[in-house]
């Protein structure tokens, strides 16, 4: 059979991120297909040495792969502005009063990337949304977006949806489980955690507030447990029985920790505007804590 003319086909050359995974292309123009002849291998300068590199017809490419992620390379023409801040994560409300402002002095393509969260960009004072972020389909460590913007001031508003995983192990359990068998990995995670939060505005203040709430919660649980025990003794004395002092199933209700989540987030904005500016707008509560700390330092 005559070999199909490549001029009648649109081909794309791609590289798989994982070697021999389930998404490996096995159809026309794959490494094991019959389309490859010495003539076409020479014409496309192709060999089978790199198993992660493959050819695929464009129509098959868009049919098989629903998402395409790309890596943008920023050269010296780009300016970067970034800011980090600590936020309290509410269980029942995914909107935050923490935000970021950035200012452009000339029309420019803008690429914005936010760690861990979802965000919207608005022109300052304008309620109409300009663009929303999207995350990588295989992960949620960061979200990003890009768009062409006119000179002006823009506001980035955050959205956080949090869920408590009752099946998740506590920090104490994780450390005990990994301190010996995965000590290096555990230390690495701890250092990365410290670095990420050290540069976040308000981390020390919100962490101190969180620690205070945790101490108060433990004290409330201790007092409640003591009161129940006294009540059992009193009830037992009243009916003349010794009562069951071995345990109380209701104590387990007090073991549940209060919802008390905080996290550090960072926004990076890339633009060709050399005068690009970015400002962190902390929440009302964090602003109050920062002001209190500033006043204490001046005394």
């Amino acid at each position: 059979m005559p070999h199909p003319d490549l001029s009648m086909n649109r081909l794309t050359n791609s590289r798989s991120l994982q070697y021999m995974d389930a998404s490996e292309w096995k159809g026309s123009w794959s490494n094991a297909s019959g389309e490859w002849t010495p003539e076409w291998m020479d014409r496309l300068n192709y060999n089978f040495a790199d198993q992660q590199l493959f050819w695929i017809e464009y129509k098959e490419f868009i049919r098989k792969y629903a998402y395409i992620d790309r890596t943008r390379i920023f050269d010296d023409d780009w300016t970067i502005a970034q800011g980090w801040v600590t936020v309290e994560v509410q269980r029942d409300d995914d909107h935050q009063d923490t935000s970021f402002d950035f200012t452009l002095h000339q029309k420019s393509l803008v690429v914005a990337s936010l760690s861990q969260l979802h965000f919207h960009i608005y022109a300052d004072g304008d309620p109409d949304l300009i663009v929303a972020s999207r995350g990588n389909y295989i992960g949620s460590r960061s979200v990003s977006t890009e768009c062409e913007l006119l000179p002006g001031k823009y506001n980035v508003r955050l959205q956080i949806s949090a869920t408590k995983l009752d099946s998740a192990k506590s920090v104490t359990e994780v450390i005990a489980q990994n301190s010996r068998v995965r000590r290096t990995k555990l230390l690495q995670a701890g250092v990365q955690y410290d670095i990420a939060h050290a540069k976040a505005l308000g981390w020390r203040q919100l962490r101190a507030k969180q620690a205070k709430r945790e101490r108060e919660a433990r004290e409330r649980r201790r007092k409640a447990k003591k009161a129940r025990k006294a009540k059992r003794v009193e009830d037992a004395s009243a009916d003349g029985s010794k009562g069951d002092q071995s345990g109380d199933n209701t104590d387990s209700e007090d073991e549940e920790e209060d919802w008390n989540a905080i996290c550090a987030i960072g926004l990076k904005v890339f633009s060709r505007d050399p005068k690009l500016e970015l400002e962190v707008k902390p929440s009302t509560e964090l602003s109050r804590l920062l002001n209190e700390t500033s006043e204490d330092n001046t005394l």
Side-chain angles (χ1 to χ4, degrees):
M1 294 178 59
H3 196 284
D5 187 352
L6 279 184
S7 64
M8 303 299 293
N9 296 275
R10 297 178 64 189
L11 299 180
T12 179
N13 190 219
S14 305
R15 179 181 295 276
S16 174
L17 295 180
Q18 298 182 0
Y19 177 67
M20 299 297 287
D21 67 347
S23 64
E24 181 186 7
W25 174 241
K26 296 181 176 64
S28 299
W29 297 101
S30 64
N31 289 342
S33 71
E35 281 81 7
W36 289 110
T37 65
E39 175 189 358
W40 292 111
M41 291 178 64
D42 182 67
R43 181 170 178 178
L44 296 177
N45 191 27
Y46 183 64
N47 60 66
F48 303 121
D50 189 342
Q51 293 293 318
Q52 291 180 281
L53 201 64
F54 66 97
W55 285 87
I56 181 174
E57 286 193 68
Y58 179 73
K59 63 181 180 180
E60 297 291 348
F61 181 85
I62 59 176
R63 182 182 298 128
K64 179 175 176 60
Y65 301 103
Y67 301 94
I68 301 174
D69 288 311
R70 65 174 182 176
T71 299
R72 176 183 284 277
I73 305 299
F74 295 100
D75 56 25
D76 293 339
D77 292 336
W78 290 83
T79 298
I80 177 175
Q82 61 179 311
W84 291 79
V85 65
T86 309
V87 300
E88 295 184 276
V89 182
Q90 305 301 321
R91 174 178 287 183
D92 301 320
D93 186 3
D94 60 0
H95 289 86
Q96 292 280 330
D97 60 347
T98 300
S99 64
F100 298 86
D101 287 345
F102 67 89
T103 303
L104 287 176
H105 299 274
Q106 65 184 47
K107 181 179 178 180
S108 173
L109 176 66
V110 170
V111 179
S113 176
L114 189 72
S115 64
Q116 306 289 355
L117 308 175
H118 179 62
F119 66 93
H120 293 165
I121 296 180
Y122 296 80
D124 189 42
D126 189 341
D128 294 331
L129 171 68
I130 296 177
V131 65
S133 64
R134 69 169 293 271
N136 186 297
Y137 66 97
I138 59 174
S140 57
R141 290 187 178 273
S142 64
V143 292
S144 62
T145 190
E146 65 177 63
C147 58
E148 192 87 20
L149 294 177
L150 297 172
K153 187 174 183 180
Y154 297 89
N155 180 247
V156 179
R157 305 174 193 176
L158 313 180
Q159 183 177 351
I160 312 175
S161 296
T163 303
K164 182 178 180 181
L165 299 178
D166 294 326
S167 60
K169 296 180 180 179
S170 67
V171 175
T172 302
E173 291 173 326
V174 172
I175 293 176
Q177 181 178 347
N178 294 276
S179 59
R180 292 185 178 180
V181 296
R182 304 186 67 191
R183 180 177 178 81
T184 301
K185 181 66 175 179
L186 186 64
L187 292 174
Q188 181 184 23
V191 170
Q192 292 175 343
Y193 179 89
D194 289 341
I195 292 175
H197 291 86
K199 58 186 177 183
L201 177 67
W203 168 252
R204 183 169 59 86
Q205 289 79 4
L206 284 181
R207 184 64 187 91
K209 176 184 174 181
Q210 182 190 53
K212 180 181 178 181
R213 286 196 306 217
E214 290 171 349
R215 290 194 300 270
E216 293 172 348
R218 287 195 298 269
E219 181 64 17
R220 287 195 302 269
R221 290 195 292 270
R222 187 190 67 80
K223 289 182 178 179
K225 185 176 181 179
K226 183 178 180 180
R228 281 199 306 274
K229 183 176 180 180
K231 183 68 165 57
R232 290 197 302 270
V233 173
E234 181 182 345
D235 292 344
S237 299
D239 61 15
S241 64
K242 295 182 179 181
D244 182 8
Q245 305 298 323
S246 60
D248 184 357
N249 292 333
T250 59
D251 287 348
S252 60
E253 298 176 359
D254 292 323
E255 297 302 322
E256 181 180 355
E257 295 183 0
D258 296 335
W259 179 265
N260 198 15
I262 60 176
C263 68
I265 58 174
L267 176 71
K268 293 181 180 180
V269 178
F270 301 83
S271 168
R272 296 185 186 277
D273 178 6
K275 297 182 180 180
L276 172 67
E277 302 174 62
L278 186 143
E279 178 185 5
V280 177
K281 309 289 285 188
S283 66
T284 303
E285 174 63 10
L286 180 54
S287 296
R288 181 187 68 80
L289 293 174
L290 291 172
N291 288 334
E292 289 180 357
T293 303
S294 176
E295 292 174 358
D296 292 341
N297 292 336
T298 59
L299 294 179

